Structures are given as structure tokens and as C-alpha cells.
Amino acid sequence: EALIGPLKGNQLEVLGGELMNWTGWKSQYPQTTFAPEPETWTAPLPKARVTAMLEGATKRLALPGGVPADLRLPFDEMVIGVVVQGEAKAYPLHHLQQVKALEDRVGNLRLTIRFDPAVDRVQVLNGTQPFPYQRTRWIGWYEFHPVTKVYQDRVTR
């Protein structure tokens, strides 16, 4: 939901996307061009200050949100989040990096979640079809999905 601006109060559509390293991206999308960082920094704040603010900011503070803190995971833990028919579930990325792939049921769907370490890429599939997901920090995931479940490998519990 938009909290400020002209769309305030409106439900926003979640757009898809992928996060992977440049090697993986370029191999999958070889025609990609990119804009390198400009040589001259033109932002209102000095670049060093912006960089310092962003580096590790979530480790130093937790911004107040609309829901109480959820301590099932560290707030800066990276998760893969999915929503099936209103049911949300988070998969700790560190676990996925260890096992490389897992299968799970969320709602009425059987999902396969894969991690490719060579390109730092996550894929979520429903059968052979890509399924939308978010790769984000736990603090952001539970803020928008406060009744989310957290995946636990039955073998390691």
C-alpha cells in the first residue's frame, strides 16, 4: 500500500524481478547494456555520506514500522518470501545457500526453490513455471506479512 504521495492508500501491484550477479545476468541476457556510475556525483548529499549511511544501516537500527518486531529471525537476515492465496512464507537465504534446492507446499501449491551459487540467483518454480517471490531482509518481509510462516527444514529442526 502506498503510504505517501499521490497514490496514498492504494494497493500497489508487486512487480517481478531477479537479483543475481553480473556474470549470471549477462549470460542469461547477453544483449543487456548498462549505465555505469557517473564520474561526477550530483546528488544533494556527498557520496561518502550516502555510502556510509547505507552500509550496514539495518545492522545498526530498526526503523519503526506498523507491526511489532518479530524475533524469529535476525532482522537483517535475507529471506526469500512467497505468497500463495494470501498465505505468506519466508525461506532463510542462508539455508537455501546450504541445501541449494528445496521443495515445499504453500497453500495449495508445491514450490521448488533453487539457489545457484555461481550467479547468486534464486528461482522459485511452480512445476516448470516461474513463481513470483521477493528477496529481501526479514525486517521488510514481516512488516508487510506479519502472520508469515518461516520455513524450517524438518531434518535440521
Side-chain angles (χ1 to χ4, degrees), residues 51-92:
T51 301
M53 288 168 39
L54 294 176
E55 287 178 354
T58 58
K59 292 181 180 172
R60 292 189 302 272
L61 57 97
L63 300 175
V67 298
D70 186 321
L71 302 177
R72 289 180 287 172
L73 295 171
F75 67 87
D76 62 341
E77 174 101 23
M78 292 300 293
V79 298
I80 304 304
V82 298
V83 178
V84 177
Q85 299 171 330
E87 182 179 330
K89 194 161 191 180
Y91 298 83

Side-chain angles (χ1 to χ4, degrees), residues 101-120:
L102 59 87
E103 289 190 7
D104 195 25
R105 181 171 293 282
V106 181
N108 65 349
L109 293 184
R110 187 150 214 55
L111 299 177
T112 301
I113 305 174
R114 296 182 184 146
F115 177 75
D116 181 349
V119 294
D120 190 29

Side-chain angles (χ1 to χ4, degrees), residues 124-136:
V124 178
L125 303 168
N126 175 20
T128 59
Q129 297 299 310
F131 191 82
Y133 69 92
Q134 290 182 312
R135 182 174 177 169
T136 187

Side-chain angles (χ1 to χ4, degrees), residues 86-100:
E87 182 179 330
K89 194 161 191 180
Y91 298 83
L93 183 59
H94 78 273
H95 177 71
L96 191 56
Q97 290 168 329
Q98 292 171 354
V99 299
K100 307 295 186 269

